Amino acid sequence: MKKYPLEFKVNGKKYSVEVKPNMTLLRLLRSLGFTEVKSGCEKGDCGTCAVLMDGEPVNSCLTLALQAQGKEITTVKGLGTMEKLHPIQEAFVKYGAIQCGFCTPGMVITAKAFLDKNPNPTREEIREAISGNLCRCTGYQKIVDAIEAAAKKMKEAR
């Protein structure tokens, strides 16, 4: 199968690769070493593979790699650093919103996109926003608490 050139950025770094037209963004990112992008259901049902594409959340398992042409992809590692976590990452740790951690990257990415659009959410709006992200460990309460706390901290920082 013919390969096509693709140029895009991930977490601020430029990449030039050649990909087959049927390769998903998930498979490409993982092949480039971005293992923080988790492979869950690969059907768009669980949200573990969520990344930001030009600031919009997408399930990378349903997105063809070629759709990333000229785009900026942000993974959970692109939000903060070990020395300075993003407020959402910090809140997930502080509120115990992670247990096994498998859903966490997609959950944090989804929360980031949501809070960028709705900086003053209600708890019900938070639940609705993360409804496409499955977690089998936490029961969601701590995740909602963390997102609510992060929203308040992000609002104070503005």
Side-chain angles (χ1 to χ4, degrees):
M1 185 179 293
K2 183 179 177 184
K3 289 187 175 185
Y4 295 87
L6 171 63
E7 290 188 5
F8 67 115
K9 288 183 181 179
V10 182
N11 299 335
K13 183 179 176 190
K14 196 178 250 187
Y15 289 85
S16 294
V17 295
E18 287 193 349
V19 297
K20 293 179 180 178
N22 63 346
M23 181 177 230
T24 65
L25 183 57
L26 169 65
R27 290 286 147 227
L28 175 59
L29 290 171
R30 290 189 61 83
S31 74
L32 292 172
F34 295 97
T35 56
E36 69 271 21
V37 182
K38 302 301 179 196
S39 177
C41 68
E42 295 200 39
K43 297 186 299 182
D45 290 337
C46 71
T48 61
C49 67
V51 296
L52 298 177
M53 182 184 293
D54 285 348
E56 293 296 321
V58 298
N59 286 332
S60 62
C61 71
L62 297 179
T63 305
L64 292 174
L66 288 171
Q67 290 176 274
Q69 177 62 40
K71 307 281 187 183
E72 172 74 41
I73 305 300
T74 306
T75 73
V76 72
K77 284 187 178 179
L79 296 182
T81 65
M82 291 300 287
E83 296 78 28
K84 180 148 177 51
L85 295 175
H86 186 279
I88 298 169
Q89 294 167 318
E90 195 173 85
F92 267 65
V93 173
K94 180 177 179 181
Y95 286 82
I98 50 177
Q99 286 185 15
C100 82
F102 193 76
C103 73
T104 304
M107 199 70 80
V108 168
I109 286 291
T110 299
K112 168 77 166 87
F114 170 65
L115 292 179
D116 284 349
K117 289 185 174 150
N118 184 353
N120 300 302
T122 64
R123 292 180 70 80
E124 187 56 39
E125 289 170 329
I126 293 169
R127 285 185 189 92
E128 176 69 26
I130 62 170
S131 65
N133 296 74
L134 300 180
C135 176
R136 298 185 186 270
C137 301
T138 66
Y140 298 96
Q141 189 62 43
K142 292 179 179 182
I143 293 170
V144 173
D145 293 345
I147 295 170
E148 182 179 51
K152 288 176 184 169
K153 184 169 185 176
M154 290 166 66
K155 185 178 177 182
E156 290 169 6
R158 291 183 187 155

